[in-house]
Amino acid sequence: MDNIDRQLVSALRQNARASVSELALSLGLSRATVRTRIDRLLEDEEVLGFTVVLKEDMADMPVRGITLIEIEGKGNERIITRLRGFPEIQAIHSTNGRWDLIVEFGAETLADLDKVLRQMRLIDGINASETNLYLTTHRINRVVGLFKNKNGEK
């Protein structure tokens, strides 16, 4: 992927509905060049697809955020296994620095979140945690679902 491809991807991230003509004009390229580059990015699987994020996708779990977790000792795998059982937890990331895990969550209400956080804090081996709520989401650049490549493999 060269600089022009990166500019094209950036423009598509800002507005995936932009027409080839609009993209060509904003990038100073011909429509044929833009179409060829988009086709190549798709063929080479640099771009896996295009998605739509609906307002209702965000409203399914209106209380969203992250919890940073410090683990005592070497209980990472056991704790991760326990956390996988919480339906409110959408992603679990191991990390470096002060915190051992970052947990992304979504809940219907603050009371539901409070209940989940109390249950998480009861897990043996969780030494400390800090929770931050998302107030406003200004941009999401996440692929929802799994894509298969041209050979049918994930």
Side-chain angles (χ1 to χ4, degrees), residues 105-154:
F105 61 81
E108 287 289 328
T109 66
L110 286 171
D112 292 339
L113 172 62
D114 184 49
K115 187 185 315 179
V116 171
L117 292 176
R118 277 187 277 122
Q119 290 173 343
M120 281 177 34
R121 288 184 190 116
L122 292 175
I123 296 174
D124 189 41
I126 291 184
N127 197 37
S129 67
E130 178 180 313
T131 299
N132 297 282
L133 297 179
Y134 298 154
L135 301 177
T136 301
T137 299
H138 299 280
R139 178 175 184 238
I140 285 187
N141 188 25
R142 181 179 302 181
V143 176
V144 179
L146 300 173
F147 290 94
K148 292 183 179 179
N149 66 20
K150 59 189 167 206
N151 298 322
E153 302 165 342
K154 288 183 183 178

Side-chain angles (χ1 to χ4, degrees), residues 75-88:
N76 270 24
E77 289 307 314
R78 180 182 49 77
I79 291 170
I80 290 170
T81 300
R82 290 278 311 275
L83 293 172
R84 284 185 182 135
F86 288 81
E88 297 85 359

Side-chain angles (χ1 to χ4, degrees), residues 28-47:
L29 301 169
S30 71
R31 288 189 328 251
T33 298
V34 170
R35 169 57 52 212
T36 301
R37 284 181 175 265
I38 289 173
D39 290 344
R40 185 177 39 78
L41 288 168
L42 289 166
E43 177 68 28
D44 293 347
E45 296 181 349
E46 294 291 333
V47 173

Side-chain angles (χ1 to χ4, degrees), residues 1-106:
M1 193 178 327
D2 65 15
N3 192 43
I4 293 172
D5 289 337
R6 282 189 282 282
Q7 289 175 11
L8 177 58
V9 168
S10 176
L12 287 168
R13 282 182 172 157
Q14 291 174 29
N15 181 5
R17 293 187 62 209
S19 68
V20 172
S21 296
E22 291 170 326
L23 292 167
L25 183 64
S26 71
L27 297 172
L29 301 169
S30 71
R31 288 189 328 251
T33 298
V34 170
R35 169 57 52 212
T36 301
R37 284 181 175 265
I38 289 173
D39 290 344
R40 185 177 39 78
L41 288 168
L42 289 166
E43 177 68 28
D44 293 347
E45 296 181 349
E46 294 291 333
V47 173
L48 297 178
F50 303 87
T51 188
V52 173
V53 179
L54 301 174
K55 183 189 278 187
E56 67 187 45
D57 293 338
M58 305 306 278
D60 285 346
M61 296 286 190
V63 178
R64 296 176 303 115
I66 61 170
T67 297
L68 308 165
I69 296 175
E70 179 185 70
I71 295 174
E72 179 181 16
K74 298 181 179 183
N76 270 24
E77 289 307 314
R78 180 182 49 77
I79 291 170
I80 290 170
T81 300
R82 290 278 311 275
L83 293 172
R84 284 185 182 135
F86 288 81
E88 297 85 359
I89 293 177
Q90 299 165 338
I92 304 169
H93 309 277
S94 57
T95 186
N96 64 332
R98 177 176 173 350
W99 303 103
D100 299 301
L101 298 175
I102 299 174
V103 173
E104 294 180 55
F105 61 81

